[in-house]
Amino acid sequence: MQILNQEKLKNKRRLKKSQILLLGSFLVFIGIILLSWNYIITLKDEVYSDMRVEIVMGDEDSLSIITVPVSKNLNTDSTYVEEYPELEEVIDYSKYVGVLEIPKIGLKRGFYGSDNRYNNIQYNVAVIRGSEFPDVDRGNLILMAHSGNAYISYFRYLYKLELGDMAYVTFKGKKYTYTLVNTYDVPKVGQAKIIRNFDKTTLTLITCTHNSDDYQSIYILEQV
């Protein structure tokens, strides 16, 4: 009888050890899941962001531009003056047809000609076909890029610009200065209506509206 009781006690101890080991393994597994959860969520958000900007923005070939003149009496004079520090990023000007700079938001990005394979918002700031470069009097250079959180969202901070803020375009070795005179939002319906003064040489920037999947924002800047 004593031997039988000892055997039962041993079996109970083995069972308890097995239960403890199983519980410990389960807790370790749960710990690994919890520790990796934030990483999984972050990775999912990044992938979703890349997909979302691609889906809602499309590419420049799908965008139809409608240009509308503003009243010639529209006051577009600006007395806003501000000094900006030089940006540290070095641009290889030989790679691009031009370079866009907006110091207030830390943007300095080259762009290709409309016939270049890399002139696509999935890679760069894109030039819309039919644009005129800054050396064309009363022309309109139209640039488009993504906003949002993806690595290609070069226009993510355009929404921080205010009327009177400055932008610069370097083209053929000459630097042209622009000032922001108007911003407005339009629904994403495959067309972007550009309202500008035809007596002015213009730079137009187009991107998704900040915190919106249904609108895109138009920024009108005039050469000074």
Side-chain angles (χ1 to χ4, degrees):
M1 179 68 69
Q2 186 177 0
I3 296 175
L4 184 60
N5 289 337
Q6 289 178 350
E7 189 66 27
K8 288 182 178 180
L9 183 60
K10 289 181 181 180
N11 290 336
K12 286 182 179 179
R13 287 176 179 172
R14 291 194 194 100
L15 179 61
K16 187 174 182 180
K17 287 181 180 179
S18 299
Q19 290 173 339
I20 292 174
L21 181 60
L22 181 62
L23 178 61
S25 301
F26 178 74
L27 291 176
V28 169
F29 176 74
I30 293 299
I32 293 173
I33 292 296
L34 291 176
L35 288 175
S36 60
W37 182 253
N38 286 339
Y39 172 76
I40 294 172
I41 291 298
T42 300
L43 183 62
K44 174 186 149 189
D45 288 343
E46 290 179 356
V47 171
Y48 175 76
S49 177
D50 286 345
M51 292 176 62
R52 184 173 70 87
V53 295
E54 183 173 351
I55 291 170
V56 302
M57 192 67 179
D59 58 43
E60 63 97 2
D61 288 330
S62 66
L63 186 67
S64 174
I65 299 296
I66 302 174
T67 305
V68 180
V70 300
S71 169
K72 293 184 179 181
N73 296 323
L74 181 66
N75 181 12
T76 56
D77 294 332
S78 176
T79 57
Y80 182 87
V81 178
E82 184 171 350
E83 296 294 330
Y84 297 103
E86 289 294 325
L87 298 180
E88 295 182 0
E89 182 181 359
V90 177
I91 295 289
D92 181 2
Y93 288 85
S94 64
K95 291 174 55 180
Y96 304 103
V97 70
V99 175
L100 170 68
E101 296 179 62
I102 308 179
K104 181 177 181 178
I105 58 174
L107 174 64
K108 186 176 185 181
R109 184 73 187 177
F111 54 86
Y112 293 90
S114 60
D115 57 347
N116 190 291
R117 60 176 295 189
Y118 294 110
N119 181 52
N120 189 301
I121 62 171
Q122 304 306 329
Y123 306 105
N124 295 289
V125 174
V127 178
I128 300 297
R129 286 185 177 85
S131 294
E132 296 95 2
F133 286 110
D135 57 346
V136 177
D137 185 39
R138 302 180 185 180
N140 186 21
L141 173 61
I142 308 171
L143 302 177
M144 184 169 69
H146 283 304
S147 59
N149 299 317
Y151 70 95
I152 53 172
S153 301
Y154 302 114
F155 283 178
R156 71 185 66 179
Y157 296 127
L158 285 188
Y159 74 94
K160 295 185 176 182
L161 296 180
E162 299 174 339
L163 298 183
D165 284 341
M166 312 300 291
Y168 307 91
V169 174
T170 300
F171 179 71
K172 291 184 177 180
K174 183 176 180 179
K175 193 171 186 177
Y176 298 86
T177 301
Y178 297 83
T179 183
L180 182 63
V181 298
N182 190 23
T183 66
Y184 56 93
D185 300 334
V186 296
K188 288 181 181 176
V189 293
Q191 293 182 333
K193 182 180 292 186
I194 297 177
I195 304 172
R196 75 180 188 96
N197 189 335
F198 281 86
D199 290 334
K200 301 286 186 176
T201 304
T202 307
L203 168 66
T204 299
L205 307 178
I206 303 175
T207 193
C208 292
T209 301
H210 182 59
N211 289 333
S212 173
D213 292 338
D214 301 318
Y215 285 83
Q216 55 194 6
S217 296
I218 314 294
Y219 298 79
I220 305 295
L221 301 96
E222 293 179 350
Q223 201 174 106
V224 296

